Amino acid sequence: MDAQSRGRADEIDPADQWVLNPRTGNYELRLDSSAAQQQPSVAAPRRPSAARTKAPGTPASPKAPSAPAVPGPRRGEGPPGRRGGRPRKGGGGGGRRKKILVITGGTLAFLLVGGSLGAYLYYNHLNGNLKVTDVGDAGTGGFKKDQPINILVIGTDKRSGAGNEGYGDAESVGHADTTILFHVSKDRSNATALSIPRDLITNIPACPTKQPDGSTKTIPGQKGTRFNVSLGQEGRDPGCTMRTVKELTGITVDNFMMVDFNAVKVLSTAVGGVPVCLAKAVDDKDSKLKLDAGEHRLQGEEALAFVRTRHSFGNHGDLDRIKTQQQFLSSMMREMKSKETLTSPKKFFSLAEAATKSLTVDSGIGSIDKLTNLAGELKDMNLKNITFTTLPVLDNPAEPEGQKATVVIEHGAADPLLKMIQGDVSLTEVEKKEQAAKDAADAEAQSKANALLQGNRAPAGDVRVDVYNGGGPSGSASTTLTWLQNSKGVNKASNRGNAPAKVDTTQLEYAPNQADQARALADIMGLPATALKMGSADAAPKTPMKLTLGADFKGAGVSLTAPQKAPDDIQRVEADKTVCAK
């Protein structure tokens, strides 16, 4: 009796489950335990040796006591592209190698690692590996194909997993040790990965969390505290971190992915090691990282030590550790997209197992099918169009000199950066041909939007508008009304309180015969063309326009028009470039 029929299918290495399809004459991967029974009735060949049933370059699983009970190759023939255990010569194996490439390369395993890591690989047998958390309405519940995607990648400092008990606080409940807001553009041509420092002083909103018995408990908010306690402390779940990020950045998070220390070790090992470059020798007794200057390929404990070290590079602080993690992430991504990884069944399935066993996600992406859809949205993105950056911060002025342990937002640089992400503006230099294609696709919509802002503007005193708060800070409608009337001369404005429903972006609804008023108000408030929504019919005399302040609204007088260029001095790491840690 084989392992499958003994109920031990989970011990079979998926890379060993290549079977012959007698209808096509090609080998195919069958992960279903019933794969053999689903084959057309054919004369079963004699069971081949393990060396003949394995996938190219893949050793037989040490856990499997025998090969799966599936039809094997004909006498003298190995698996795809092999004969008698040796590579086939000539063009005969090309079709089979392409099939392997389709199976592996067609499913991009996109990884974010370094104390913070996202991973998604699909086959159905991996569903049971995933851990799923219900975060209620903390996110959107799932990304939309025609909209930007915002995934919050959380790396916790929880010491779970074999061999991790000795790292620092073994009793840690798991805080948001490293957090990256990964923004994917609407057209999927570029992405921005924004690191949020764990020691940032911020406000954590009240957080409804699901309890083990199915009930919901609301954990009170906390003002003026470290960002990292948005997870774990007081029983907060990843939904609390999602809510904190939205309040902090004004960006609504769609979904989250969370991993712990073990993920860095198993994923770096599964990919065959991650190349890193050191500008100087390192000997950090805390993280146990000891390396000479130059290039290294790190995996397992060494990889974890590299992303954890705080005393090896820069000013020996968390902000410099973030840079090191971003460099590691970039290298991991390059390794994942390399030909050696995409065409290796062994690496592919090792990554699939390691990634899904390491991953906790929200219910909106809590299945392999849903993660597959997400991977499909990202698989064609060029690494040169992915930029890592860090939320600009300053030392906390409330702390005495020489004892700076926390940071606060540097609004002068942070606000334009966040507006760019909110406005879906790329930080990367996209190639001209890519930009031309994007411009062509958006030409009609952009033309209409720009047309809205052309033409005459009504005097401020003639602008009639009702102001609603649909997601801005508390009291936004009132403060905006006061600002419009007292500072801008818009005396025919009215405060209508809260909007019937929340909106992510500020909107100004107007009739065709109110276009001059809409243009005037857009100028006054700094509204982008995309915020203007023109109706189809003219309005009656003295009818006010409708201004709904969305989640992107930061305050009266704060422009909502996204800058087209990031501040020159923001920290950034481009995913396609190798940088030596120093």
Side-chain angles (χ1 to χ4, degrees):
M1 184 179 293
D2 62 19
Q4 295 278 2
S5 55
R6 285 200 302 269
R8 296 173 59 188
D10 59 322
E11 296 185 1
I12 297 296
D13 186 341
D16 288 336
Q17 300 187 52
W18 293 85
V19 301
L20 177 68
N21 184 336
R23 290 177 295 183
T24 64
N26 292 319
Y27 280 83
E28 298 175 356
L29 181 67
R30 299 299 174 90
L31 300 178
D32 191 333
S33 61
S34 63
Q37 288 76 14
Q38 293 174 355
Q39 296 294 319
S41 177
V42 295
R46 190 167 54 185
R47 179 186 299 277
S49 66
R52 289 183 178 179
T53 56
K54 65 181 181 178
T58 306
S61 171
K63 297 182 180 179
S66 61
V70 294
R74 293 185 291 271
R75 181 181 298 274
E77 180 179 351
R82 295 179 69 87
R83 184 186 301 275
R86 295 179 182 176
R88 298 186 66 169
K89 296 180 180 180
R96 289 170 182 161
R97 285 193 293 271
K98 288 179 181 178
K99 284 185 177 295
I100 294 174
L101 183 58
V102 168
I103 291 171
T104 58
T107 307
L108 176 63
F110 185 89
L111 300 141
L112 294 180
V113 202
S116 63
L117 155 63
Y120 22 88
L121 291 168
Y122 35 64
Y123 294 98
N124 285 336
H125 83 291
L126 299 176
N127 263 317
N129 289 347
L130 291 171
K131 295 176 283 293
V132 181
T133 298
D134 183 356
V135 295
D137 62 354
T140 63
F143 66 91
K144 297 178 177 61
K145 288 186 175 295
D146 59 345
Q147 294 297 323
I149 301 174
N150 294 303
I151 303 290
L152 192 66
V153 185
I154 307 171
T156 81
D157 57 3
K158 189 172 184 178
R159 272 67 173 171
S160 57
N164 296 325
E165 302 85 355
Y167 295 124
D169 180 10
E171 302 302 318
S172 173
V173 294
H175 300 106
D177 190 54
T178 305
T179 304
I180 294 179
L181 178 61
F182 192 70
H183 171 85
V184 182
S185 67
K186 178 179 178 179
D187 65 3
R188 309 299 186 253
S189 70
N190 63 86
T192 299
L194 177 71
S195 292
I196 301 175
R198 69 175 194 172
D199 297 323
L200 174 68
I201 297 299
T202 189
N203 297 329
I204 299 174
C207 176
T209 60
K210 293 285 186 179
Q211 303 300 302
D213 62 1
S215 63
T216 298
K217 174 184 176 182
T218 298
I219 300 173
Q222 191 173 352
K223 293 185 178 296
T225 189
R226 292 180 193 243
F227 174 83
N228 71 332
V229 300
S230 64
L231 176 70
Q233 204 79 9
E234 309 298 332
R236 296 188 178 99
D237 67 6
C240 298
T241 307
M242 295 169 74
R243 296 175 195 275
T244 303
V245 167
K246 180 176 180 179
E247 183 166 303
L248 180 67
T249 66
I251 299 167
T252 299
V253 180
D254 295 303
N255 306 100
F256 85 87
M257 295 179 175
M258 182 173 71
V259 295
D260 57 22
F261 282 177
N262 219 45
V264 181
K265 296 196 292 186
V266 298
L267 280 154
S268 60
T269 301
V271 79
V274 177
V276 300
C277 174
L278 277 67
K280 62 179 183 179
V282 169
D283 187 0
D284 182 358
K285 292 180 174 56
D286 288 339
S287 69
K288 300 180 175 59
L289 181 67
K290 185 174 183 179
L291 296 170
D292 295 331
E295 297 181 355
H296 302 268
R297 182 174 285 268
L298 306 183
Q299 59 182 310
E301 294 290 347
E302 272 195 322
L304 180 59
F306 183 81
V307 299
R308 289 188 67 242
T309 182
R310 297 182 65 175
H311 307 294
S312 301
F313 309 113
N315 295 322
H316 296 187
D318 188 56
L319 297 180
D320 286 295
R321 183 177 70 155
I322 288 175
K323 296 177 187 177
T324 304
Q325 291 171 347
Q326 292 172 348
Q327 293 162 12
F328 185 89
L329 272 166
S330 299
S331 183
M332 171 69 88
M333 292 164 62
R334 292 193 297 273
E335 197 68 16
M336 286 300 304
K337 295 205 71 169
S338 70
K339 180 181 177 181
E340 288 75 13
T341 298
L342 292 178
T343 57
S344 168
K346 179 181 179 180
K347 284 188 178 181
F348 181 81
F349 290 113
S350 295
L351 281 166
E353 292 292 340
T356 52
K357 286 180 179 178
S358 302
L359 193 61
T360 301
V361 298
D362 63 278
S363 52
I365 51 175
S367 72
I368 299 301
D369 285 342
K370 292 176 180 177
L371 290 174
T372 299
N373 292 335
L374 179 56
E377 295 293 308
L378 306 178
K379 65 183 179 65
D380 294 326
M381 190 178 298
N382 194 310
L383 291 182
K384 66 180 172 53
N385 294 333
I386 300 176
T387 301
F388 290 88
T389 188
T390 303
L391 187 68
V393 294
L394 297 167
D395 286 338
N396 187 355
E399 294 177 333
E401 287 297 328
Q403 300 180 31
K404 302 291 186 182
T406 60
V407 293
V408 296
I409 289 183
E410 181 187 359
H411 285 284
D415 290 350
L417 175 61
L418 292 175
K419 280 195 174 73
M420 289 185 70
I421 298 175
Q422 294 163 4
D424 201 25
V425 178
S426 173
L427 296 185
T428 64
E429 294 296 331
V430 183
E431 286 186 348
K432 290 182 178 180
K433 62 180 181 180
E434 294 175 347
Q435 188 64 49
K438 179 181 183 297
D439 291 344
D442 295 341
E444 183 177 357
Q446 190 63 48
S447 176
K448 291 180 179 178
N450 289 338
L452 298 176
L453 295 179
Q454 303 303 314
N456 296 326
R457 283 137 174 86
D462 291 344
V463 174
R464 296 178 183 270
V465 62
D466 287 341
V467 183
Y468 295 81
N469 188 1
S474 178
S476 289
S478 176
T479 56
T480 299
L481 176 68
T482 300
W483 177 75
L484 286 173
Q485 290 181 336
N486 295 344
S487 300
K488 298 300 177 180
V490 184
N491 300 315
K492 297 176 181 177
S494 301
N495 174 13
R496 298 300 183 185
N498 292 330
K502 299 279 187 179
V503 294
D504 290 335
T505 58
T506 297
Q507 300 174 1
L508 176 61
E509 300 172 60
Y510 66 99
N513 61 337
Q514 296 172 322
D516 58 340
Q517 295 183 50
R519 287 189 284 269
L521 190 61
D523 280 352
I524 291 171
M525 295 194 62
L527 300 179
T530 51
L532 276 60
K533 312 295 181 184
M534 185 173 68
S536 57
D538 284 346
K542 298 184 179 181
T543 300
M545 300 180 294
K546 180 180 179 181
L547 174 66
T548 304
L549 307 176
D552 60 340
F553 184 77
K554 297 303 180 184
V558 180
S559 175
L560 293 174
T561 303
Q564 297 302 302
K565 185 176 182 298
D568 292 332
D569 57 349
I570 67 165
Q571 178 268 329
R572 68 176 74 194
V573 172
E574 296 172 343
D576 66 324
K577 293 181 174 60
T578 299
V579 179
C580 290
K582 58 185 178 180

